[in-house]
Amino acid sequence: MTRAGCPDTPMAVAIRGSGMAANACAHLLKGAGLRVGQESAHRPPVPSLLLSEAALALMRDLFARPDLFADAPRVRRRLVAWGGAPVMVPHEAVLASEELVQAALAVAEEAPMAAPDFTIHAAPPLPMGELHVFGERHAVAARVRLRDPVCREEGRVEAVESGWLFLVPADGDEGWLLGVGGEIDALLAQSRLIAPVVDPIGGSSRPFLAAPRLHLPLVGDDWLACGTAAIGFDPICGDGTAQSVREAILASAVLTGIAAGGDRAALLGHYQAMLIAAMRRHLLLCAQFYADGGRGDWWRTQHEALMQGHRWCTGLLATLPEPQYALHGLRLVPRRAAA
């Protein structure tokens, strides 16, 4: 893809970040013939990722790695106590640390560019705008020892009075415990499902934001935000990794469209509208979980914040034009052509 107005010079794209979205963008844009420079932006990695079958299929297809994480540990069932008695449900997911995922999918980095034609911000800070957060909740993670061997292939999710807990196995007889809404010890004191099968090892991580969030604007004339720098999902839905891949596919399609001489403003506007719509869907899904998890003040406050965010996103979308493009494979095409 050449730069509009410069048929012999490929469009130059700088990517800030080194996570899933950044690496996927670099992979796709290089494959499309654009010049790419990547600048790492390091942050503490997430200790354990639970990659759903959908997320794993996306990653394998995008990077042409059909055997990706074929030998990784798996969670084969989930025991859930959410506003009622525990229920066992089938569940297929792969366990991997974020460091392992990044190492497996890393793209050979090229030197950062001094004057790129366009910049993808897959890590903060962004050039302008503000972060909108839908709720007031943080999470902490702690390494635990699993008392029961059955937990080595089993995830456990439990809603308690002032938050919720999520247990996934790790190595051997150890696991990771995520606590949302308070400190691990306080949440475990309210637990009947998870507390009896774990012993904490060491302390907890620093609190990190667990409420859905959306940065606006998501685009400028020569930049866009992608990955968790653009939007962040509540971990209750387990769709964060797949969302980062989907954002990278859309962002790359926007850039290749611009490089091919497409309508820059329309393509960037489409990208922003699609991410707002994704957040709107996520907020409604989360609201259903938080409506059923508990009846106390904490649950009611979080549910109200999610519904308020859903209404806000609905209002934003009402001011925007109808989507003008459809994603066909890795390319955006005008809807009239796709019909």
Side-chain angles (χ1 to χ4, degrees), residues 17-338:
S18 50
M20 173 60 69
N23 288 337
C25 283
H27 174 77
L28 289 168
L29 293 174
K30 287 180 179 181
L34 277 65
R35 292 189 297 138
V36 176
Q38 192 169 356
E39 177 187 351
S40 298
H42 297 288
R43 59 170 174 75
V46 176
S48 184
L49 292 174
L50 195 61
L51 303 176
S52 67
E53 288 294 313
L56 193 57
L58 266 175
M59 294 159 64
R60 286 173 171 173
D61 184 58
L62 183 65
F63 288 89
R65 298 275 301 278
D67 60 345
L68 183 67
F69 299 126
D71 298 326
R74 284 185 169 267
V75 171
R76 303 192 181 279
R77 58 190 174 271
R78 184 178 290 193
L79 187 58
V80 181
W82 199 266
V87 176
M88 182 71 75
V89 294
H91 184 77
E92 283 291 335
V94 164
L95 286 164
S97 68
E98 188 176 25
E99 286 182 324
L100 183 61
V101 172
Q102 290 183 5
L105 302 180
V107 177
E109 293 189 10
E110 299 180 13
M113 297 177 174
D117 300 308
F118 202 93
T119 301
I120 294 176
H121 293 274
L126 272 62
M128 61 180 295
E130 62 178 314
L131 189 66
H132 300 267
V133 183
F134 308 106
E136 297 181 4
R137 54 190 179 277
H138 287 75
V140 291
R143 202 164 186 91
V144 295
R145 181 167 289 107
L146 304 174
R147 297 179 185 173
D148 191 339
V150 75
C151 293
R152 294 177 185 175
E153 291 187 340
E154 178 180 287
R156 293 196 175 194
V157 185
E158 181 180 14
V160 297
E161 182 180 352
S162 59
W164 57 275
L165 292 160
F166 184 26
L167 172 66
V168 293
D171 302 318
D173 63 348
E174 294 186 0
W176 282 102
L177 182 60
L178 180 75
V180 177
E183 295 295 333
I184 291 287
D185 290 345
L187 296 173
L188 281 174
Q190 304 167 30
S191 166
R192 295 183 178 181
L193 178 68
I194 293 177
V197 299
V198 300
D199 291 310
I201 303 173
S204 300
S205 69
R206 292 184 179 181
F208 54 92
L209 192 58
R213 54 268 185 205
L214 168 69
H215 190 282
L216 283 181
L218 290 161
V219 300
D221 288 341
D222 60 356
W223 65 272
L224 62 77
C226 191
T228 54
I231 62 178
F233 279 2
D234 189 306
I236 191 62
C237 293
D239 196 35
T241 301
Q243 174 62 26
S244 288
V245 176
R246 290 192 292 265
E247 285 179 45
I249 292 171
L250 183 57
S252 300
V254 167
L255 267 290
T256 55
I258 292 173
D263 187 327
R264 178 183 294 254
L267 286 161
L268 291 171
H270 178 80
Y271 179 81
Q272 177 156 289
M274 290 300 99
L275 265 62
I276 295 172
M279 176 54 68
R280 180 178 179 272
R281 290 191 296 271
H282 176 71
L283 290 169
L284 186 59
L285 179 60
C286 285
Q288 296 168 359
F289 284 113
Y290 282 88
D292 297 336
R295 297 289 180 262
D297 290 343
W298 186 85
W299 290 96
R300 184 166 51 253
T301 298
Q302 304 310 316
H303 179 262
E304 289 173 355
L306 291 165
M307 291 307 300
Q308 183 178 355
H310 181 266
R311 291 189 293 271
W312 181 72
C313 288
T314 300
L316 284 179
L317 291 171
T319 68
L320 301 177
E322 288 293 319
Q324 300 181 44
Y325 299 92
L327 194 61
H328 277 211
L330 300 177
R331 295 288 184 270
L332 283 170
V333 299
R335 282 190 177 272
R336 60 182 178 275

